Amino acid sequence: MNGSKFATESKTDAGYLDVAANAHGEEKGFLAYQALQRVRSDRPKAVEIGPGGGSAVIFLASQLATGGSTHRGVDLTLVEVPGVVSASLNEAMTEFQKVGTVELVSGFAQDIGTLLPEPVDVISASALLHEVYSYGGGYNGLHSMIRTIPTVLRPGGLFAYRDVYAVDGTSLHERSVQTFAARSWIQFLRMFLPQYLREGTHPYHGAHDEVVTRQDSRIVPVGELATGTAAFVSAPVGIFREVQRHYITFRDHIWRSGALGFVPFLDGQMAADWIDARTGHKRVHYRLTDAEWLPESQKRMMHALSERYGDHFTVDGDIFDECTDIALSQFLATAERGDGECRVIWEHWTTREGRETYAYMTLDALLAAFAASSTESSRPDRTVLMPVQVTDVTQRDRGYYNRYLRRALPNPLRDAKQLVLFSNIPLSDSDTLGRAMDSVQHWCSHASLARMYAAVNSGE
């Protein structure tokens, strides 16, 4: 990743790396563990790119320790950006040493071809490829990395991928219309979107990608939207994905900062107090802070709607979300005026995440890109990266976020993570290749299938 743009200082802050970015260990390590179960080597060699706070490392260690794996030990290499140091990762590495060996290597994801001395059995990357896209040269950097992966994987090795789910369609450029009525969303749209389109790495540069915003039947520049009137926005569906996901990450960031006057438990047992997990309805546990700018009426409202629970408070998640949006609207207005702590927190978030593009490809385009680019690697014995089984592609919904989005927006996009387990298939292995082609038909368009077929049959 481009060191001049990658926010190393913000990304390595302990409050982010050891806490905010260190959840969902089971989800992050799930495919890596599944991959290890398929590897025939007595002592597999595995690599995790961007381990962050080590939650996936902890999960792998716990799974291997239970005896569910047939392997006597695993040699794990962790590849992390230079300058990134995490106390929780050090603890995770100590835990992993009970089931194998672990080594931390400093370097960028794009340089993995020179960081590993020999090919390995499994490579895992979680929420990493969107950063390669955002900071490592856009599509060129992404395709370059895909071409590199087969060179550091053994034939039959596996690449476990996890990142933000894009949209249910073949193109991020298909136009859509969204209505924004809540003040916090309009305020966020006004502050975030112009900067993202101006400074972020994204694919929305064509004439057909224009963002058109209307209020009171008049076209209004997005940076001049008024918060008291509903806004109707016409834009590529991918832009709405970016707005939604960035709003969610910003909301989490503000919660953790304590600037809204309350800090919810976002991790651990208290964060999983579901009223109805199926519908994403949860009971929120939180503590009050001494945020000075927040109006006293807002604090009293939160207190009146909540119940004391030991040393903190608890409240229905739907009510908590409504209170959050009211406070967030006031916070954003204060930040936009350039006032004190609010402005500092906003700029900290925009530096760390505000310019990233989360959804750079749909699943259809992603599978086709992996297949096509991997066949262009420098391996003398050509291979292709494809999922072999239907179950190698899956999505994990974010129930709580989706419930909130359904309440906040008329037609929200599904918030989820997509997981794909790619096998490094030798083109000479016609049986496995045939199974892979059968499996991708469940997710790919005819155009993508044709592209994949042409890639695996080129050079014959």
Short mmCIF file of all heavy atoms in Angstrom, two decimals, residues 72-131:
data_model
loop_
_atom_site.label_atom_id
_atom_site.label_comp_id
_atom_site.label_asym_id
_atom_site.label_seq_id
_atom_site.Cartn_x
_atom_site.Cartn_y
_atom_site.Cartn_z
N ARG A 72 -0.43 -32.00 13.12
CA ARG A 72 0.32 -32.00 14.38
C ARG A 72 0.78 -30.59 14.75
O ARG A 72 1.09 -30.31 15.89
CB ARG A 72 1.53 -32.93 14.25
CG ARG A 72 1.15 -34.40 14.14
CD ARG A 72 2.38 -35.27 14.29
NE ARG A 72 3.34 -35.07 13.23
CZ ARG A 72 3.31 -35.74 12.07
NH1 ARG A 72 2.36 -36.64 11.86
NH2 ARG A 72 4.21 -35.52 11.14
N GLY A 73 0.83 -29.69 13.79
CA GLY A 73 1.25 -28.32 14.05
C GLY A 73 1.15 -27.50 12.78
O GLY A 73 1.13 -28.05 11.67
N VAL A 74 1.07 -26.21 12.92
CA VAL A 74 0.96 -25.30 11.79
C VAL A 74 2.04 -24.24 11.92
O VAL A 74 2.23 -23.68 13.01
CB VAL A 74 -0.43 -24.64 11.72
CG1 VAL A 74 -0.48 -23.60 10.61
CG2 VAL A 74 -1.52 -25.69 11.53
N ASP A 75 2.73 -23.96 10.84
CA ASP A 75 3.72 -22.87 10.80
C ASP A 75 3.03 -21.65 10.22
O ASP A 75 2.69 -21.62 9.03
CB ASP A 75 4.92 -23.26 9.95
CG ASP A 75 5.68 -24.45 10.54
OD1 ASP A 75 5.76 -24.54 11.77
OD2 ASP A 75 6.19 -25.28 9.76
N LEU A 76 2.82 -20.64 11.05
CA LEU A 76 2.06 -19.46 10.65
C LEU A 76 2.98 -18.25 10.51
O LEU A 76 3.78 -17.95 11.39
CB LEU A 76 0.98 -19.16 11.71
CG LEU A 76 0.11 -17.92 11.49
CD1 LEU A 76 -0.72 -18.05 10.22
CD2 LEU A 76 -0.79 -17.68 12.70
N THR A 77 2.83 -17.55 9.38
CA THR A 77 3.55 -16.29 9.15
C THR A 77 2.52 -15.16 9.07
O THR A 77 1.53 -15.27 8.34
CB THR A 77 4.35 -16.34 7.84
OG1 THR A 77 5.32 -17.39 7.91
CG2 THR A 77 5.07 -15.02 7.59
N LEU A 78 2.77 -14.11 9.82
CA LEU A 78 1.89 -12.94 9.81
C LEU A 78 2.59 -11.81 9.08
O LEU A 78 3.73 -11.47 9.40
CB LEU A 78 1.56 -12.52 11.25
CG LEU A 78 1.00 -13.61 12.16
CD1 LEU A 78 0.84 -13.07 13.58
CD2 LEU A 78 -0.32 -14.13 11.64
N VAL A 79 1.92 -11.22 8.10
CA VAL A 79 2.49 -10.11 7.32
C VAL A 79 1.74 -8.84 7.68
O VAL A 79 0.52 -8.74 7.48
CB VAL A 79 2.38 -10.38 5.80
CG1 VAL A 79 2.92 -9.20 5.02
CG2 VAL A 79 3.12 -11.66 5.43
N GLU A 80 2.45 -7.88 8.26
CA GLU A 80 1.83 -6.64 8.72
C GLU A 80 2.59 -5.43 8.17
O GLU A 80 3.78 -5.49 7.91
CB GLU A 80 1.79 -6.61 10.25
CG GLU A 80 0.97 -5.48 10.84
CD GLU A 80 -0.47 -5.46 10.34
OE1 GLU A 80 -0.68 -4.86 9.26
OE2 GLU A 80 -1.35 -5.99 11.01
N VAL A 81 1.85 -4.33 8.00
CA VAL A 81 2.41 -3.08 7.47
C VAL A 81 3.53 -2.58 8.39
O VAL A 81 3.40 -2.66 9.63
CB VAL A 81 1.30 -2.02 7.35
CG1 VAL A 81 1.88 -0.66 6.99
CG2 VAL A 81 0.27 -2.45 6.32
N PRO A 82 4.63 -2.07 7.83
CA PRO A 82 5.70 -1.53 8.67
C PRO A 82 5.18 -0.46 9.63
O PRO A 82 4.38 0.39 9.25
CB PRO A 82 6.67 -0.91 7.64
CG PRO A 82 6.44 -1.69 6.39
CD PRO A 82 4.97 -2.00 6.39
N GLY A 83 5.61 -0.55 10.87
CA GLY A 83 5.21 0.43 11.87
C GLY A 83 4.00 0.03 12.68
O GLY A 83 3.67 0.67 13.68
N VAL A 84 3.30 -1.04 12.26
CA VAL A 84 2.10 -1.48 12.98
C VAL A 84 2.51 -2.37 14.14
O VAL A 84 3.17 -3.39 13.95
CB VAL A 84 1.14 -2.23 12.04
CG1 VAL A 84 0.00 -2.85 12.84
CG2 VAL A 84 0.60 -1.29 10.98
N VAL A 85 2.13 -1.99 15.34
CA VAL A 85 2.44 -2.76 16.54
C VAL A 85 1.15 -2.91 17.35
O VAL A 85 0.45 -1.93 17.58
CB VAL A 85 3.52 -2.08 17.41
CG1 VAL A 85 3.77 -2.89 18.66
CG2 VAL A 85 4.81 -1.89 16.61
N SER A 86 0.84 -4.12 17.77
CA SER A 86 -0.38 -4.38 18.50
C SER A 86 -0.10 -5.25 19.71
O SER A 86 0.45 -6.34 19.59
CB SER A 86 -1.41 -5.07 17.59
OG SER A 86 -2.45 -5.64 18.34
N ALA A 87 -0.51 -4.76 20.88
CA ALA A 87 -0.32 -5.54 22.10
C ALA A 87 -1.14 -6.82 22.06
O ALA A 87 -0.68 -7.89 22.47
CB ALA A 87 -0.71 -4.70 23.32
N SER A 88 -2.38 -6.73 21.56
CA SER A 88 -3.23 -7.92 21.51
C SER A 88 -2.71 -8.93 20.50
O SER A 88 -2.88 -10.14 20.68
CB SER A 88 -4.68 -7.54 21.18
OG SER A 88 -4.75 -6.80 19.98
N LEU A 89 -2.04 -8.47 19.43
CA LEU A 89 -1.45 -9.41 18.47
C LEU A 89 -0.31 -10.19 19.12
O LEU A 89 -0.15 -11.39 18.90
CB LEU A 89 -0.96 -8.68 17.22
CG LEU A 89 -0.30 -9.58 16.16
CD1 LEU A 89 -1.27 -10.64 15.67
CD2 LEU A 89 0.20 -8.73 14.99
N ASN A 90 0.48 -9.50 19.92
CA ASN A 90 1.56 -10.19 20.63
C ASN A 90 1.01 -11.29 21.54
O ASN A 90 1.56 -12.39 21.63
CB ASN A 90 2.39 -9.19 21.45
CG ASN A 90 3.22 -8.28 20.59
OD1 ASN A 90 3.59 -8.63 19.47
ND2 ASN A 90 3.51 -7.09 21.08
N GLU A 91 -0.09 -11.00 22.21
CA GLU A 91 -0.73 -12.00 23.07
C GLU A 91 -1.26 -13.16 22.24
O GLU A 91 -1.15 -14.33 22.64
CB GLU A 91 -1.87 -11.35 23.86
CG GLU A 91 -1.41 -10.27 24.84
CD GLU A 91 -2.57 -9.53 25.47
OE1 GLU A 91 -3.73 -9.87 25.14
OE2 GLU A 91 -2.32 -8.61 26.27
N ALA A 92 -1.84 -12.85 21.06
CA ALA A 92 -2.36 -13.90 20.19
C ALA A 92 -1.24 -14.80 19.68
O ALA A 92 -1.40 -16.01 19.57
CB ALA A 92 -3.11 -13.26 19.02
N MET A 93 -0.09 -14.21 19.36
CA MET A 93 1.05 -14.99 18.89
C MET A 93 1.54 -15.94 19.98
O MET A 93 1.89 -17.09 19.71
CB MET A 93 2.17 -14.06 18.43
CG MET A 93 1.84 -13.27 17.17
SD MET A 93 3.10 -12.02 16.76
CE MET A 93 4.53 -13.07 16.40
N THR A 94 1.56 -15.46 21.21
CA THR A 94 1.96 -16.32 22.33
C THR A 94 1.01 -17.50 22.45
O THR A 94 1.43 -18.65 22.69
CB THR A 94 1.97 -15.52 23.64
OG1 THR A 94 2.91 -14.45 23.53
CG2 THR A 94 2.34 -16.41 24.82
N GLU A 95 -0.27 -17.25 22.27
CA GLU A 95 -1.27 -18.32 22.35
C GLU A 95 -1.09 -19.32 21.21
O GLU A 95 -1.23 -20.53 21.40
CB GLU A 95 -2.68 -17.72 22.30
CG GLU A 95 -3.79 -18.67 22.63
CD GLU A 95 -3.78 -19.15 24.07
OE1 GLU A 95 -3.19 -18.45 24.93
OE2 GLU A 95 -4.34 -20.23 24.34
N PHE A 96 -0.77 -18.82 20.01
CA PHE A 96 -0.64 -19.70 18.85
C PHE A 96 0.57 -20.62 18.98
O PHE A 96 0.59 -21.72 18.42
CB PHE A 96 -0.54 -18.89 17.56
CG PHE A 96 -0.73 -19.73 16.32
CD1 PHE A 96 -2.00 -19.94 15.81
CD2 PHE A 96 0.35 -20.33 15.68
CE1 PHE A 96 -2.19 -20.74 14.69
CE2 PHE A 96 0.17 -21.11 14.56
CZ PHE A 96 -1.12 -21.32 14.06
N GLN A 97 1.58 -20.18 19.71
CA GLN A 97 2.78 -21.01 19.87
C GLN A 97 2.49 -22.33 20.59
O GLN A 97 3.32 -23.24 20.56
CB GLN A 97 3.84 -20.21 20.63
CG GLN A 97 4.47 -19.11 19.79
CD GLN A 97 5.39 -18.19 20.59
OE1 GLN A 97 5.40 -18.24 21.82
NE2 GLN A 97 6.13 -17.35 19.90
N LYS A 98 1.31 -22.45 21.18
CA LYS A 98 0.93 -23.71 21.81
C LYS A 98 0.55 -24.77 20.79
O LYS A 98 0.53 -25.97 21.10
CB LYS A 98 -0.24 -23.48 22.77
CG LYS A 98 0.06 -22.52 23.92
CD LYS A 98 -1.19 -22.26 24.75
CE LYS A 98 -0.92 -21.25 25.86
NZ LYS A 98 -2.16 -20.96 26.65
N VAL A 99 0.23 -24.34 19.55
CA VAL A 99 -0.22 -25.30 18.53
C VAL A 99 0.68 -25.30 17.30
O VAL A 99 0.44 -26.04 16.35
CB VAL A 99 -1.67 -25.01 18.10
CG1 VAL A 99 -2.62 -25.22 19.26
CG2 VAL A 99 -1.81 -23.60 17.55
N GLY A 100 1.70 -24.43 17.29
CA GLY A 100 2.58 -24.37 16.14
C GLY A 100 3.60 -23.26 16.30
O GLY A 100 3.86 -22.80 17.41
N THR A 101 4.16 -22.84 15.19
CA THR A 101 5.11 -21.73 15.22
C THR A 101 4.47 -20.51 14.58
O THR A 101 3.58 -20.63 13.73
CB THR A 101 6.40 -22.08 14.45
OG1 THR A 101 6.10 -22.21 13.05
CG2 THR A 101 7.01 -23.38 14.98
N VAL A 102 4.93 -19.34 14.99
CA VAL A 102 4.38 -18.12 14.42
C VAL A 102 5.50 -17.08 14.28
O VAL A 102 6.34 -16.94 15.17
CB VAL A 102 3.23 -17.57 15.29
CG1 VAL A 102 3.69 -17.28 16.71
CG2 VAL A 102 2.61 -16.33 14.66
N GLU A 103 5.49 -16.39 13.15
CA GLU A 103 6.51 -15.39 12.84
C GLU A 103 5.82 -14.15 12.29
O GLU A 103 4.88 -14.25 11.49
CB GLU A 103 7.50 -15.93 11.81
CG GLU A 103 8.55 -14.92 11.37
CD GLU A 103 9.39 -15.43 10.21
OE1 GLU A 103 8.99 -16.44 9.59
OE2 GLU A 103 10.43 -14.80 9.91
N LEU A 104 6.25 -12.97 12.74
CA LEU A 104 5.72 -11.70 12.25
C LEU A 104 6.71 -11.09 11.27
O LEU A 104 7.87 -10.85 11.61
CB LEU A 104 5.47 -10.74 13.41
CG LEU A 104 4.87 -9.37 13.06
CD1 LEU A 104 3.51 -9.53 12.40
CD2 LEU A 104 4.76 -8.50 14.30
N VAL A 105 6.24 -10.82 10.05
CA VAL A 105 7.06 -10.25 9.00
C VAL A 105 6.51 -8.87 8.65
O VAL A 105 5.29 -8.70 8.50
CB VAL A 105 7.07 -11.14 7.74
CG1 VAL A 105 7.83 -10.47 6.60
CG2 VAL A 105 7.69 -12.50 8.06
N SER A 106 7.38 -7.89 8.54
CA SER A 106 6.98 -6.52 8.21
C SER A 106 7.05 -6.30 6.71
O SER A 106 8.07 -6.55 6.08
CB SER A 106 7.90 -5.52 8.94
OG SER A 106 7.52 -4.20 8.65
N GLY A 107 5.94 -5.81 6.13
CA GLY A 107 5.92 -5.54 4.70
C GLY A 107 4.52 -5.25 4.22
O GLY A 107 3.54 -5.39 4.96
N PHE A 108 4.40 -4.82 2.96
CA PHE A 108 3.11 -4.51 2.36
C PHE A 108 2.56 -5.71 1.61
O PHE A 108 3.31 -6.55 1.10
CB PHE A 108 3.24 -3.32 1.41
CG PHE A 108 3.54 -2.02 2.11
CD1 PHE A 108 4.82 -1.48 2.06
CD2 PHE A 108 2.56 -1.35 2.81
CE1 PHE A 108 5.10 -0.29 2.72
CE2 PHE A 108 2.84 -0.15 3.47
CZ PHE A 108 4.11 0.38 3.42
N ALA A 109 1.23 -5.78 1.54
CA ALA A 109 0.57 -6.93 0.93
C ALA A 109 1.03 -7.15 -0.51
O ALA A 109 1.23 -8.28 -0.95
CB ALA A 109 -0.94 -6.73 0.97
N GLN A 110 1.23 -6.05 -1.26
CA GLN A 110 1.62 -6.19 -2.66
C GLN A 110 3.00 -6.82 -2.82
O GLN A 110 3.33 -7.31 -3.90
CB GLN A 110 1.63 -4.82 -3.37
CG GLN A 110 0.26 -4.14 -3.41
CD GLN A 110 0.11 -3.17 -2.27
OE1 GLN A 110 0.38 -3.50 -1.12
NE2 GLN A 110 -0.33 -1.95 -2.57
N ASP A 111 3.80 -6.79 -1.77
CA ASP A 111 5.16 -7.32 -1.85
C ASP A 111 5.27 -8.74 -1.32
O ASP A 111 6.37 -9.23 -1.05
CB ASP A 111 6.12 -6.41 -1.06
CG ASP A 111 6.12 -4.99 -1.58
OD1 ASP A 111 5.97 -4.80 -2.80
OD2 ASP A 111 6.25 -4.06 -0.76
N ILE A 112 4.15 -9.43 -1.18
CA ILE A 112 4.16 -10.75 -0.57
C ILE A 112 5.03 -11.72 -1.35
O ILE A 112 5.60 -12.65 -0.79
CB ILE A 112 2.72 -11.30 -0.42
CG1 ILE A 112 2.73 -12.56 0.45
CG2 ILE A 112 2.08 -11.54 -1.77
CD1 ILE A 112 1.35 -13.06 0.81
N GLY A 113 5.18 -11.49 -2.64
CA GLY A 113 6.01 -12.37 -3.47
C GLY A 113 7.46 -12.36 -3.05
O GLY A 113 8.18 -13.35 -3.25
N THR A 114 7.92 -11.26 -2.47
CA THR A 114 9.32 -11.17 -2.02
C THR A 114 9.46 -11.38 -0.52
O THR A 114 10.57 -11.53 -0.02
CB THR A 114 9.90 -9.79 -2.39
OG1 THR A 114 9.14 -8.77 -1.73
CG2 THR A 114 9.85 -9.56 -3.89
N LEU A 115 8.34 -11.42 0.20
CA LEU A 115 8.39 -11.56 1.66
C LEU A 115 8.43 -13.02 2.10
O LEU A 115 8.90 -13.33 3.19
CB LEU A 115 7.17 -10.88 2.30
CG LEU A 115 7.08 -9.36 2.14
CD1 LEU A 115 5.75 -8.86 2.69
CD2 LEU A 115 8.24 -8.68 2.84
N LEU A 116 7.92 -13.92 1.26
CA LEU A 116 7.86 -15.34 1.63
C LEU A 116 8.97 -16.10 0.92
O LEU A 116 9.09 -16.02 -0.30
CB LEU A 116 6.50 -15.93 1.25
CG LEU A 116 5.27 -15.25 1.88
CD1 LEU A 116 3.99 -15.91 1.41
CD2 LEU A 116 5.36 -15.26 3.40
N PRO A 117 9.78 -16.87 1.65
CA PRO A 117 10.92 -17.57 1.05
C PRO A 117 10.51 -18.74 0.17
O PRO A 117 11.26 -19.15 -0.71
CB PRO A 117 11.73 -18.05 2.26
CG PRO A 117 10.71 -18.17 3.36
CD PRO A 117 9.73 -17.07 3.11
N GLU A 118 9.30 -19.30 0.39
CA GLU A 118 8.85 -20.45 -0.39
C GLU A 118 7.33 -20.47 -0.41
O GLU A 118 6.68 -19.85 0.43
CB GLU A 118 9.38 -21.74 0.23
CG GLU A 118 8.95 -21.97 1.67
CD GLU A 118 9.52 -23.26 2.23
OE1 GLU A 118 9.84 -24.16 1.44
OE2 GLU A 118 9.64 -23.35 3.48
N PRO A 119 6.74 -21.19 -1.37
CA PRO A 119 5.27 -21.27 -1.45
C PRO A 119 4.67 -21.91 -0.19
O PRO A 119 5.31 -22.73 0.47
CB PRO A 119 5.03 -22.16 -2.68
CG PRO A 119 6.26 -22.00 -3.51
CD PRO A 119 7.39 -21.85 -2.51
N VAL A 120 3.45 -21.51 0.12
CA VAL A 120 2.77 -21.97 1.33
C VAL A 120 1.47 -22.67 0.96
O VAL A 120 1.06 -22.69 -0.21
CB VAL A 120 2.49 -20.79 2.29
CG1 VAL A 120 3.79 -20.13 2.71
CG2 VAL A 120 1.55 -19.77 1.63
N ASP A 121 0.82 -23.26 1.97
CA ASP A 121 -0.41 -24.01 1.73
C ASP A 121 -1.66 -23.14 1.79
O ASP A 121 -2.61 -23.37 1.04
CB ASP A 121 -0.54 -25.13 2.78
CG ASP A 121 0.59 -26.12 2.72
OD1 ASP A 121 0.65 -26.90 1.75
OD2 ASP A 121 1.45 -26.11 3.64
N VAL A 122 -1.67 -22.16 2.69
CA VAL A 122 -2.87 -21.34 2.91
C VAL A 122 -2.46 -19.88 3.10
O VAL A 122 -1.52 -19.58 3.84
CB VAL A 122 -3.65 -21.81 4.15
CG1 VAL A 122 -4.84 -20.88 4.44
CG2 VAL A 122 -4.15 -23.24 3.98
N ILE A 123 -3.19 -18.98 2.45
CA ILE A 123 -3.04 -17.54 2.67
C ILE A 123 -4.41 -16.99 3.03
O ILE A 123 -5.41 -17.32 2.39
CB ILE A 123 -2.49 -16.82 1.43
CG1 ILE A 123 -1.08 -17.31 1.08
CG2 ILE A 123 -2.45 -15.30 1.66
CD1 ILE A 123 -0.52 -16.72 -0.19
N SER A 124 -4.45 -16.15 4.05
CA SER A 124 -5.70 -15.56 4.50
C SER A 124 -5.57 -14.05 4.53
O SER A 124 -4.55 -13.51 4.96
CB SER A 124 -6.06 -16.09 5.90
OG SER A 124 -7.22 -15.45 6.39
N ALA A 125 -6.62 -13.36 4.07
CA ALA A 125 -6.64 -11.90 4.10
C ALA A 125 -8.04 -11.45 4.46
O ALA A 125 -9.01 -11.81 3.78
CB ALA A 125 -6.23 -11.31 2.76
N SER A 126 -8.18 -10.67 5.52
CA SER A 126 -9.48 -10.21 5.98
C SER A 126 -9.54 -8.68 5.94
O SER A 126 -8.69 -8.01 6.53
CB SER A 126 -9.72 -10.70 7.42
OG SER A 126 -10.95 -10.22 7.90
N ALA A 127 -10.55 -8.16 5.23
CA ALA A 127 -10.73 -6.70 5.13
C ALA A 127 -9.45 -6.02 4.69
O ALA A 127 -9.11 -4.94 5.14
CB ALA A 127 -11.22 -6.12 6.45
N LEU A 128 -8.72 -6.70 3.81
CA LEU A 128 -7.41 -6.22 3.39
C LEU A 128 -7.43 -5.74 1.94
O LEU A 128 -6.81 -4.73 1.61
CB LEU A 128 -6.39 -7.34 3.58
CG LEU A 128 -4.90 -7.15 3.26
CD1 LEU A 128 -4.61 -7.32 1.80
CD2 LEU A 128 -4.39 -5.86 3.81
N LEU A 129 -8.17 -6.43 1.08
CA LEU A 129 -8.11 -6.11 -0.34
C LEU A 129 -8.72 -4.74 -0.66
O LEU A 129 -8.31 -4.09 -1.61
CB LEU A 129 -8.79 -7.20 -1.16
CG LEU A 129 -8.09 -8.57 -1.12
CD1 LEU A 129 -8.74 -9.53 -2.09
CD2 LEU A 129 -6.61 -8.43 -1.43
N HIS A 130 -9.70 -4.30 0.15
CA HIS A 130 -10.22 -2.95 -0.12
C HIS A 130 -9.16 -1.90 0.20
O HIS A 130 -9.14 -0.82 -0.40
CB HIS A 130 -11.53 -2.68 0.64
CG HIS A 130 -11.39 -2.41 2.09
ND1 HIS A 130 -11.73 -3.32 3.06
CD2 HIS A 130 -10.96 -1.31 2.77
CE1 HIS A 130 -11.54 -2.82 4.25
NE2 HIS A 130 -11.06 -1.60 4.11
N GLU A 131 -8.24 -2.21 1.12
CA GLU A 131 -7.15 -1.28 1.40
C GLU A 131 -6.09 -1.33 0.29
O GLU A 131 -5.50 -0.30 -0.05
CB GLU A 131 -6.54 -1.58 2.76
CG GLU A 131 -7.49 -1.29 3.91
CD GLU A 131 -6.81 -1.36 5.27
OE1 GLU A 131 -5.68 -1.89 5.35
OE2 GLU A 131 -7.42 -0.91 6.25
#
